[in-house]
Amino acid sequence: MKQIELWPDFVALRLTGISLIKIKNILGMSMHAITNREKALQKMVKDLFPDLAEWWLPHHQWQDRRLTSQVEKEKQVFMSFLDTLLYQETLDCPTCGNVMKRLEASKHRPYFVCHRCKTSKNLLSNTELFRLDHVDLWHAYTNYLIKGESNLTIQDMLKISHICALNWRKRFIKQMTSMGLDELVFWINWQWGRRQGSIKGAEISKSRKNDQES
């Protein structure tokens, strides 16, 4: 196999979920060479690391999307964070210590007012989610995000705009990163990469089939 020096880069990129199309462009290799390396990599993992292969290959091929225990734990941390933002009813006033109550007019937003000293506080103010719309969709969005769904799929499922889907992905991942949920962020990027890879792979297979039939 030619270009042996590119093997470490290929393996590293592939294990992080980068699609074959992107790896082809990054390494400047032909699609034929990339496909052969993919087959060799999968065989090597099966032969040398059978336990890893049993878990990794189904996830790598986007057939099994069950979370690891650590990712599940970090997901629950983020969901609890959202629960606090969306459902917390009272808050200690940072100015006078009085109990602040959630403002009814703010609907789903965590906006609190102290009736003693008139201090107001929005729990979203110091987060990456500040000023984002459709708060009632955030839990559902997070689940789709963690599953690795594409922006197009998410916007279709939640009936939001494409710009909204793009913005939310960036902002939610930034918030997770700020909370130290690194395994969760890596998982999201990996699964999203695998999703894109499966779509591109299907498109390539369909194109080849059409070429053979024509």
Side-chain angles (χ1 to χ4, degrees):
M1 188 172 287
K2 298 180 180 179
Q3 296 178 298
I4 298 297
E5 70 279 3
L6 295 179
W7 255 108
D9 291 332
F10 173 81
V11 173
L13 290 169
R14 199 58 176 143
L15 290 180
T16 56
I18 305 299
S19 70
L20 294 178
I21 298 293
K22 287 187 177 180
I23 295 177
K24 167 183 173 294
N25 295 331
I26 292 172
L27 300 182
M29 301 173 66
S30 69
M31 198 64 220
H32 177 71
I34 289 292
T35 302
N36 284 340
R37 286 176 189 250
E38 170 73 356
K39 293 177 181 178
L41 173 61
Q42 292 193 22
K43 184 178 186 304
M44 179 180 67
V45 173
K46 287 180 180 179
D47 292 344
L48 300 180
F49 309 101
D51 291 339
L52 173 62
E54 184 178 354
W55 182 90
W56 177 68
L57 286 175
H59 285 82
H60 177 69
Q61 296 165 352
W62 222 62
Q63 298 169 350
D64 186 345
R65 288 183 283 170
R66 287 176 295 177
L67 308 181
T68 66
S69 58
Q70 180 60 29
V71 172
E72 179 64 41
K73 180 179 178 180
E74 293 190 6
K75 173 188 175 182
Q76 293 308 317
V77 169
F78 190 76
M79 287 300 196
S80 295
F81 164 75
L82 290 183
D83 287 342
T84 299
L85 288 178
L86 304 183
Y87 305 126
Q88 184 170 325
E89 293 296 331
T90 61
L91 186 70
D92 291 337
C93 178
T95 302
C96 69
N98 188 43
V99 176
M100 306 173 73
K101 293 187 177 181
R102 196 180 189 114
L103 195 65
E104 290 294 332
S106 66
K107 296 182 179 180
H108 297 290
R109 295 190 176 279
Y111 189 76
F112 296 82
V113 174
C114 177
H115 295 292
R116 176 187 292 172
C117 67
K118 307 306 179 184
T119 296
S120 62
K121 183 174 179 61
N122 185 343
L123 294 184
L124 292 171
S125 297
N126 297 318
T127 73
E128 296 293 341
L129 308 184
F130 186 53
R131 297 188 185 282
L132 293 187
D133 296 324
H134 308 298
V135 181
D136 54 311
L137 298 178
W138 287 2
H139 280 83
Y141 175 79
T142 300
N143 281 318
Y144 286 129
L145 184 67
I146 294 172
K147 286 181 179 179
E149 299 292 357
S150 68
N151 291 329
L152 291 175
T153 297
I154 294 175
Q155 73 182 58
D156 183 57
M157 296 296 293
L158 299 182
K159 309 303 180 186
I160 58 178
S161 69
H162 186 57
I163 293 177
C164 181
L166 287 172
N167 188 32
W168 281 18
R169 180 178 293 274
K170 294 177 183 177
R171 299 277 287 277
F172 271 66
I173 288 178
K174 281 185 177 181
Q175 180 60 41
M176 292 172 183
T177 300
S178 72
M179 296 170 64
L181 305 178
D182 298 330
E183 291 290 331
L184 181 59
V185 171
F186 181 86
W187 179 272
I188 289 171
N189 290 329
W190 181 48
Q191 287 295 289
W192 183 75
R194 297 308 314 123
R195 172 60 171 163
Q196 300 307 302
S198 68
I199 293 174
K200 291 294 185 181
E203 291 176 351
I204 292 172
S205 297
K206 183 178 180 180
S207 176
R208 287 176 176 172
K209 183 178 180 181
N210 291 337
D211 290 342
Q212 292 173 354
E213 292 176 350
S214 61

